[in-house]
Amino acid sequence: MPSTLQKPPRWIPILAWVIAILVFFPIFWMALTSFKTETEAISTPPSLFFVPTLENYTDVFARSNYARFVWNSIAVSFGSTLLALAFAIPAAYAMAFFPTKRTPSTLLWMLSTKMMPPVGVLIPIYLLFKTLGLLDTVTGLLIIYTLINLPIVVWMLYTYFKDVPGEILEAGRVDGANPIQELFLLLLPLAVPGIASTGLLSVILSWNEAFWSLNLTSSQGAPLTAFIASFSSPQGLFWAKLSAASLMAIAPILVVGWMSQRQLVSGLTFGAVK
């Protein structure tokens, strides 16, 4: 049977490669700079050929407790994602299969909170955290990351759940399944790709978040975003050391993203073709 799919125009793969190179180039240049001396890092024109040095990485390790920043990032990113999923799964299930006339407006309101500039609520949240003793703590960041990612997690899970055939759940009800069994034994196994991609996206958003971590933490509860910012000193920017610190900060999430790219793409395209 001959294929009815037409080959894409030749310029589309070329355009895709150009976009990929443009996106990857800053990371490549940052990695290159991290192995230069400070003099070579700011030289004009930039030097492509040089003797690599690990001096910047040695200085970064000597100056900061890198392991503590990594642990804080892992704790707040994965912890906030698990908390967000724990709240979002029942909420998305209820809105997808038991909608009311206010469900669309509730979803729109939740999404609208993501459009609010964070600086608008910085002062009240800062004072609240100060009163509760949550400043510069992992618990404080865990709470704030869960709250800021919860709307997008609910929205994505709601979209995935809507693509699950309702007949499957109805068959479960006919067989006597209660709502909890319906959720955990029927719906969640069918929506695993969507839940996995939603979780991965939440981890990435939490890992890269900088506004709240810079304003609410300083040392003990600070994640890797604060670790990078700590290399901006009043004496100026030391580009080679800053590049080394930045590469060390993004390396874990790059590895996670690379290893889970198939699940991420599979989940993001879940239900795209019917």
Side-chain angles (χ1 to χ4, degrees):
M1 180 178 175
S3 174
T4 57
L5 294 177
Q6 295 181 350
K7 289 185 177 179
R10 290 184 177 180
W11 62 269
I12 290 183
I14 297 174
L15 178 63
W17 272 106
V18 170
I19 294 174
I21 291 172
L22 288 175
V23 171
F24 181 73
F25 182 77
I27 299 175
F28 166 74
W29 194 255
M30 180 177 67
L32 205 65
T33 305
S34 70
F35 292 102
K36 296 180 179 179
T37 63
E38 291 294 347
T39 304
E40 291 170 335
I42 59 173
S43 65
T44 304
S47 56
L48 289 175
F49 302 99
F50 57 92
V51 179
T53 176
L54 295 175
E55 179 184 352
N56 300 312
Y57 291 92
T58 306
D59 291 344
V60 168
F61 274 113
R63 177 176 165 177
S64 306
N65 188 347
Y66 175 70
R68 190 187 65 207
F69 288 103
V70 172
W71 169 248
N72 288 344
S73 283
I74 292 174
V76 296
S77 299
F78 287 89
S80 64
T81 297
L82 291 176
L83 277 176
L85 287 174
F87 286 109
I89 287 175
Y93 165 70
M95 286 191 280
F97 297 103
F98 306 99
T100 66
K101 63 180 182 181
R102 294 185 178 178
T103 296
S105 57
T106 303
L107 284 167
L108 186 61
W109 171 78
M110 293 179 68
L111 192 62
S112 68
T113 60
K114 292 294 292 179
M115 304 173 189
M116 180 176 61
V119 68
V121 291
L122 174 61
I123 299 301
I125 287 182
Y126 184 89
L127 294 176
L128 186 63
F129 271 44
K130 183 179 179 182
T131 304
L132 298 175
L134 293 175
L135 286 178
D136 199 20
T137 63
V138 172
T139 305
L141 277 190
L142 201 65
I143 294 172
I144 201 74
Y145 284 5
T146 301
L147 294 177
I148 63 176
N149 287 332
L150 193 56
I152 194 70
V153 173
V154 171
W155 252 100
M156 290 186 68
L157 290 179
Y158 170 79
T159 306
Y160 294 132
F161 288 174
K162 288 289 286 183
D163 287 329
V164 174
E167 292 79 6
I168 297 177
L169 302 185
E170 290 177 5
R173 290 172 205 150
V174 171
D175 290 337
N178 58 42
I180 295 178
Q181 292 172 324
E182 184 180 307
L183 175 62
F184 285 96
L185 300 181
L186 295 177
L187 180 60
L188 294 188
L190 292 172
V192 165
I195 296 172
S197 64
T198 303
L200 284 171
L201 183 63
S202 177
V203 168
I204 293 170
L205 290 175
S206 299
W207 191 280
N208 294 329
E209 201 285 328
F211 178 81
W212 292 109
S213 63
L214 293 179
N215 285 287
L216 299 179
T217 63
S218 56
S219 57
Q220 294 303 317
L224 283 169
T225 46
F227 167 74
I228 298 174
S230 68
F231 284 86
S232 174
S233 65
Q235 290 77 27
L237 293 175
F238 295 92
W239 292 109
K241 293 181 179 59
L242 188 60
S243 298
S246 300
L247 190 64
M248 291 167 63
I250 67 170
I253 200 65
L254 280 180
V255 173
V256 171
W258 180 264
M259 293 175 64
S260 58
Q261 57 178 316
R262 181 171 298 179
Q263 289 78 9
L264 188 60
V265 173
S266 173
L268 291 175
T269 56
F270 181 71
V273 180
K274 296 182 179 179

